[in-house]
Amino acid sequence: MSPAPATDKDPETETEHDTLKYSLLGPSLTKSGQDNVDQQKVSEIIYNASKGSKFFNNEENRDKNLTAKIEKILAKKKELEKLDLAHDIRKADDCIAELELSRDLSQSVVHIDCDAFYAACEELDRPELKEVPFSVGKGVLTTCNYHARKFGCRSGMAGFVAKKLCPQLIQVPLNFEKYTAKAQEVREIIVDYDPRFESASIDEAYLNITEYCSMNDISPEDAVQQLRREVHEKTKITISAGIAANAKLAKICSNQNKPNGQFRLANDRNVIMAFMRDLPTRKVNGIGRVFERELDAIGVKTCGDIYTYRQYISKLFGEKAFTFLMQCYLGLGRTKVQPAEEYERKSVGTESTFGDMSGHIELRDKLRQTAEELEKDMLRTQFKGRTLCLKVKLHTYEVFTRQVIPPKAIYLADDLYKFSVPMLTRLEQEFPGMKLRLMGLRCTNLVSMKKPDTMAFFGFKKRPGTDLDSSDIPDDEQLKRKADVLDKDGQWEAIPAELLFEDAERQEREEEFEELETLSQLEEVDKRRHHGKEVVPNPRKQDSPVEEWWDCPICLRPQVASEKEFNEHIDLCLSRQTIRNAVQETSGAGRPPRESTPSNKKSKTSEKSKDKTVLGDPKQRRLFFG
DNA sequence: GCGGATCAC
DNA sequence: TATGGTGATCCGC
């Protein structure tokens, strides 16, 4: 990046710095407790504290890209302005009319939000903290109390930046068990108001109190007043609440009178429309810093402005965004509230940040470690993944991801590692000598291997004589054994419902298809790797201890690799072999199977812990309310 | 379907 | 000295 010689007179540079400074203020700008803060001064301090760092440079880069993207949007809008958009206006109006038909004003939805939750929990144990500015979380603030917010401190802010804003800031370490236990107390109270309440996070929940209000002949305001009083009396936690016709509005309303307040928006179309008309777009859940800027650029500052520019929106931002924004303009949202467990999980993943790291061996050790972390999570959640995704963040803060579809759904560390190594290798080829600050693995396209009662809940029954529970085996080991047995198939019998059978059939077909896909993908990688020249060895890092040529007995290609890498290559080659055989079996075509070669077991690597874990384990959040 | 990007908490 | 982890979704290609 070229540091532009910035003269104060260059308006473009000034604008860029303004947008960058705004971006550096962080995503939680709209949070409460910032009303009387001199944002100009705060942003100046943050800017100066960050200037010159790699983080800053990356932010600057992102800001420039966004500015360029916005210029494109504006150019496109200018083109559109030359055209006759009567058709687009009519289309938008038709859509608005149709959405209007879905308006439901019969429900009372509540969003509750515990005020500075972690900080409040800490204050209960250490009352002296109430009087001083303090934050929870050290490297990065997860939250802070209202004293600290007066200085401009916010969640997501780097600890050292917060210290610049507020030198007397006290930083308290996270204690997740404490927050989980406290949240459970809150849960036990709100369940009386809606047994099917939906927890949105550890400190937030949606309730539908329509029935509660009619059963108890009480107004929504009074019911929520009572709920908040009860929560405060029994848990000493203050909460803020929003009451409205749907979840989207309730969420906005809970921010209205924070902290320790509530706000009701009447279930009245005119009232709702008037409320949305003046509401800044950023207040809506789903509109963040980027979309806010993009909308602002075309003239949309409030949800009311959306209507004015309705003829441009779908062409500039896409159909999904169009529908979403029209719903914002109209103040529409879902009225359905349901327990979080009833939502289907889409992925399981883990990632961690560490001091800059490079070198083949180190990176593979870290990958191995990451794979083992993910195995734990897969066992905990009882899923296997059909797709595996590797994520890295370079020392420059640039993020890249690569994914593969293994020949079968996987969850064991050995498999996770085996199938992610080629992705790492590929990245190393793309970015020679890359230095990483983060590595992560994630499984998607999940396949459940859930325990009996859960399966029963979803319409499966257990086959007789397959009870896997034995109380004298540790939990972890039990989960693994269950997974192993389930691996062999035939554990679960679908209740004879045609739909389920159809589903299973489709799944089998998909499995076959995915195996073929994987095969062609792997071969594609091969072609790329050996494209043109004959096996060009990677430029080796100086810190790699072994440098030798080996011939792979399976693919017969020469490999430059340490013994460890060579073993990895053999593992991969073997897995390809397995796929080929499987494809041959099903298709009846292809070459005869080769002889298989036993592969050496990878030696376990002892790991020096370079990790600088600054936050607690957010995975534990998922244990709450479920 | 893949990879980049945004968003929430 | 120095800026998080988990999960979801959307878009362009």
Side-chain angles (χ1 to χ4, degrees), chain A residues 73 368 450 519:
Chain A
I73 290 171
R368 177 79 215 178
K450 278 209 172 65
L519 178 60

Side-chain angles (χ1 to χ4, degrees), chain A residues 24 49-60 160 397:
Chain A
L24 286 169
S50 305
K51 200 159 55 184
S53 68
K54 291 176 187 169
F55 173 82
F56 178 92
N57 290 340
N58 185 250
E59 289 299 302
E60 194 171 34
F160 75 95
Y397 288 84

Side-chain angles (χ1 to χ4, degrees), chain A residues 325-425:
Chain A
L325 288 173
M326 291 311 140
Q327 285 170 334
C328 291
Y329 159 68
L330 293 165
L332 298 176
R334 68 184 170 102
T335 53
K336 188 177 182 184
V337 168
Q338 63 177 7
E341 315 88 74
E342 292 177 23
Y343 285 99
E344 179 195 16
R345 180 191 270 274
K346 302 274 172 46
S347 72
V348 180
T350 182
E351 65 188 58
S352 65
T353 297
F354 36 80
D356 287 358
M357 181 185 291
S358 59
H360 293 246
I361 307 298
E362 286 95 331
L363 292 177
R364 275 155 188 73
D365 282 351
K366 179 55 78 180
L367 186 59
R368 177 79 215 178
Q369 207 180 308
T370 309
E372 275 165 18
E373 273 306 306
L374 184 53
E375 182 195 272
K376 284 185 211 158
D377 296 332
M378 302 303 284
L379 286 170
R380 180 172 54 77
T381 56
Q382 289 284 284
F383 280 105
K384 300 194 249 182
R386 294 177 175 281
T387 304
L388 179 62
C389 180
L390 172 69
K391 170 178 171 180
V392 300
K393 195 189 278 181
L394 305 188
H395 69 116
T396 55
Y397 288 84
E398 294 165 287
V399 174
F400 298 94
T401 61
R402 294 292 179 266
Q403 62 181 36
V404 290
I405 303 173
K408 57 171 185 178
I410 58 172
Y411 67 98
L412 289 171
D414 280 350
D415 289 330
L416 296 169
Y417 179 70
K418 183 165 67 189
F419 290 106
S420 52
V421 164
M423 294 191 277
L424 180 61
T425 305

Side-chain angles (χ1 to χ4, degrees), chain A residues 106-110 192-195 207-227 243-244 264 267:
Chain A
S106 67
Q107 303 296 300
S108 283
V109 178
V110 180
D192 289 341
Y193 292 81
D194 179 4
L207 293 76
N208 188 324
I209 57 166
T210 315
E211 192 176 338
Y212 180 91
C213 289
S214 67
M215 295 293 280
N216 295 279
D217 192 24
I218 186 174
S219 72
E221 287 100 324
D222 290 347
V224 171
Q225 196 75 49
Q226 177 191 311
L227 180 153
I243 313 156
R264 169 154 198 227
N267 288 21

